[in-house]
Amino acid sequence: MLYIQPAIFSTLAFASWAAANLVPSPIFKRADTWGGSVSLGPTKSTIVKAVTTIIPGPAPPTQNGVLFLWPGMSNGTGDLIQATLESWQSNSWCGATTGQWCVRASVFGWFGQLDGNPSPVSGSDQVRIEYALQADKNTWLQTVTNAVTGALLSTYSSPSGPYMRGYGTGTECNDNCSGTIAAQSYINTVITLASADTTFGGTIATAGGATYSGLTSSDGGKVWSIASISIPAMSKAPQTTTTSKTTTKATTASTKTTTKANTTGGSGGCSAPQYAQCGGNGFAGCTSCASPYTCKLQNEWYSQCL
């Protein structure tokens, strides 16, 4: 697992990014564990739009560490598009009260984690998260709204390229966090591909007790829908899974920590799952990938299981 260091950035680029995001210079390692997940991919095509609505259930009334819920979408360049619902020891930085989450659109890559504006949401809220590739075929626009009222909660756009091939949910626990106390529901998930891929549905996978129903396709395999996804509440000691996409974020209004997590395999060693980081300057995590994936160099600082 790696926390991106300021040395990765040019002096000017990092100074600008840090000033905008209130980033301190010290960056620290943390340990992650994972709850249930459902994922699709890789597709033989590419994803051009993905939309889902999450009903998160209440956040833990007290929090040790940091807890994240997110639907994520990854590509071969290493960017992870992920709007996150977050539970910190105090969520007052986004205006949330006890039992509420902070939600914001964000993207993770070799550059670290970049975020849109945050908003508080309650456990019963229906949080609609849409990722859409724009007309330039390079920029991804994230739009997070209240599905019932239409209120805008967060937005972010990033030049992450037209190469998104995998999509999945994440329930992520940093620093021995207080796990989820209620199940999460994802409803009306729709993934649109650039071209038809009739095999895409066969790539669906679950972990950690997660379930789904109503997987269907239309337009000859170009549009894929999942009526509902259920992610169970985490146990007191959440187990690490090897099928979740393993990239995360951790930020507050006054501090920012960026990380790339890797899961461990059995007692015989460790292997990173699809889309996980597997190398890069200063990387200390798993350097081998779970079969059939291989560790592919993206740049000096980042290699990924693809």
Side-chain angles (χ1 to χ4, degrees):
M1 175 173 55
L2 176 68
Y3 277 78
I4 304 299
Q5 301 294 331
I8 294 177
F9 306 89
S10 69
T11 302
L12 180 60
F14 180 75
S16 175
W17 179 76
N21 293 276
L22 302 175
V23 184
S25 56
I27 309 275
F28 303 101
K29 290 185 177 181
R30 301 177 185 238
D32 292 358
T33 51
W34 298 84
S37 64
V38 173
S39 62
L40 278 161
T43 175
K44 295 177 181 177
S45 178
T46 56
I47 300 170
V48 295
K49 185 177 180 179
V51 59
T52 193
T53 296
I54 179 174
I55 305 169
T62 58
Q63 182 57 257
N64 176 65
V66 192
L67 175 65
F68 304 98
L69 313 177
W70 46 263
M73 189 171 59
S74 183
N75 67 13
T77 66
D79 283 13
L80 180 79
I81 303 294
Q82 52 167 188
T84 55
L85 284 80
E86 309 171 24
S87 173
W88 292 76
Q89 292 182 9
S90 171
N91 276 351
S92 60
W93 56 274
C94 78
T97 58
T98 300
Q100 289 187 309
W101 303 83
C102 294
V103 65
R104 53 185 164 184
S106 70
V107 60
F108 182 93
W110 63 269
F111 41 77
Q113 189 98 27
L114 304 177
D115 306 294
N117 53 294
S119 294
V121 295
S122 298
S124 60
D125 285 344
Q126 296 186 28
V127 182
R128 186 180 186 273
I129 298 171
E130 178 180 303
Y131 307 143
L133 184 63
Q134 301 301 285
D136 64 0
K137 305 299 182 184
N138 186 55
T139 302
W140 282 92
L141 175 63
Q142 300 182 51
T143 306
V144 184
T145 58
N146 183 302
V148 175
T149 68
L152 181 65
L153 301 174
S154 185
T155 62
Y156 196 79
S157 63
S158 60
S160 295
Y163 311 114
M164 298 296 170
R165 301 183 66 216
Y167 181 93
T169 69
T171 303
E172 183 175 359
C173 175
N174 294 171
D175 297 338
N176 192 32
C177 82
S178 305
T180 54
I181 59 174
Q184 297 89 59
S185 296
Y186 290 83
I187 57 175
N188 304 324
T189 301
V190 180
I191 302 168
T192 304
L193 306 179
S195 59
D197 177 3
T198 58
T199 68
F200 189 48
T203 68
I204 197 164
T206 64
T211 59
Y212 66 91
S213 64
L215 174 65
T216 60
S217 66
S218 59
D219 200 6
K222 186 175 179 180
V223 179
W224 290 85
S225 303
I226 306 174
S228 65
I229 295 171
S230 180
I231 310 295
M234 298 170 73
S235 63
K236 186 175 181 180
Q239 296 180 345
T240 299
T241 67
T242 58
T243 57
S244 297
K245 295 177 179 64
T246 53
T247 309
T248 187
K249 67 176 301 284
T251 62
T252 65
S254 61
T255 62
K256 184 166 187 86
T257 307
T258 58
T259 181
K260 188 78 172 182
N262 288 272
T263 57
T264 58
S267 59
C270 83
S271 60
Q274 182 187 12
Y275 302 120
Q277 183 177 2
C278 54
N281 191 0
F283 179 69
C286 301
T287 56
S288 62
C289 299
S291 178
Y293 308 108
T294 58
C295 189
K296 295 185 179 180
L297 176 68
Q298 305 298 320
N299 54 53
E300 178 183 358
W301 305 98
Y302 189 80
S303 295
Q304 186 179 33
C305 290
L306 297 170

